[in-house]
Amino acid sequence: MVTRVHTAKATICVTCAQNGPTCCQFVQGQASYSFPLSGVEMEIISACDRWQGKCFTIRVPNSTQFISRLKNHFPDDLDRIQVLYPEHGHHEHLSTDERGYCIFLGPKGCLLPGKFRPLYCRLFPFWVIGDQVAFFPFALCLAQKSTRSIRKVMKRLKMNNSQILSLYHELRAAWEIDELS
Ligand code: SF4
């Protein structure tokens, strides 16, 4: 699920949002194991005038699927994931409506200005494996249409290697995957 950072990148994402379905629509029943929202990200969203004082998250149990998905995302940080997301714990994630659409999804895409969006949203479909930028194959993503070339996907989404690496490390810090020294 997701729409992105930057206004330039938004063009293809707006087209996607207008035609649907988009990565900001959860498949029914799967929202509870989508990405978590950290305290830092919640504070940033709350600082957005339009959403001040509004509730936009839901607290859900750390399901087996959720934990296993996180472990797949962070294969070198399994112990840390276990500490942050224990089996009987809970986490916050974005609220959705009855159709499974993210609470921030409007007819032209995300209603949040780019810098207020959750970090996972700003990064998706990109990820970092080791120190290499990669992307999640996602059938609905217009930027991936007819290509498996990361360079093409980056070009279509107007992102570059250093932006992706920087967002990824920002996410790791916000989600406390990297322990504070
Ligand atoms: S916050 Fe915005 S970008 Fe992220 S899932 Fe919701 S609508 Fe999509």
Side-chain angles (χ1 to χ4, degrees):
M1 78 91 112
V2 199
T3 320
R4 340 314 34 189
V5 214
H6 342 280
T7 42
K9 187 179 174 183
T11 318
I12 199 166
C13 299
V14 169
T15 305
C16 192
Q18 284 170 334
N19 298 326
T22 89
C23 52
C24 303
Q25 299 164 5
F26 292 104
V27 175
Q28 287 289 342
Q30 293 186 358
S32 66
Y33 57 89
S34 72
F35 64 91
L37 208 57
S38 66
V40 172
E41 292 165 294
M42 288 191 276
E43 270 177 33
I44 292 172
I45 296 172
S46 299
C48 184
D49 286 345
R50 181 171 173 182
W51 299 96
Q52 267 175 13
K54 304 236 167 74
C55 179
F56 50 83
T57 63
I58 181 168
R59 191 168 166 77
V60 293
N62 298 335
S63 66
T64 309
Q65 296 97 321
F66 167 77
I67 295 170
S68 124
R69 191 156 181 256
L70 275 180
K71 286 182 173 172
N72 284 337
H73 278 52
F74 298 102
D76 296 330
D77 303 284
L78 300 184
D79 291 346
R80 188 69 187 142
I81 297 296
Q82 205 147 338
V83 170
L84 292 170
Y85 302 101
E87 250 177 59
H88 299 293
H90 292 76
H91 65 276
E92 303 284 334
H93 79 74
L94 291 166
S95 297
T96 55
D97 66 15
E98 64 292 344
R99 299 165 300 175
Y101 293 14
C102 175
I103 190 169
F104 294 120
L105 181 60
K108 291 184 182 170
C110 188
L111 298 171
L112 291 170
K115 65 178 184 176
F116 291 93
R117 292 177 193 165
L119 290 159
Y120 191 86
C121 302
R122 296 171 62 185
L123 196 51
F124 189 86
F126 300 107
W127 198 245
V128 175
I129 299 172
D131 56 1
Q132 296 294 308
V133 170
F135 67 95
F136 299 113
F138 187 62
L140 300 179
C141 182
L142 279 188
Q144 297 181 31
K145 199 168 179 190
S146 311
T147 188
R148 295 185 69 84
S149 154
I150 187 148
R151 289 171 58 133
K152 267 194 191 158
V153 178
M154 283 200 276
K155 195 170 170 200
R156 288 173 179 175
L157 290 172
K158 300 189 174 9
M159 289 192 74
N160 62 40
N161 236 51
S162 65
Q163 285 173 316
I164 295 167
L165 287 169
S166 154
L167 272 175
Y168 173 74
H169 288 291
E170 204 181 324
L171 179 148
R172 287 184 62 95
W175 289 16
E176 299 179 19
I177 305 290
D178 295 322
E179 287 184 78
L180 295 176
S181 49

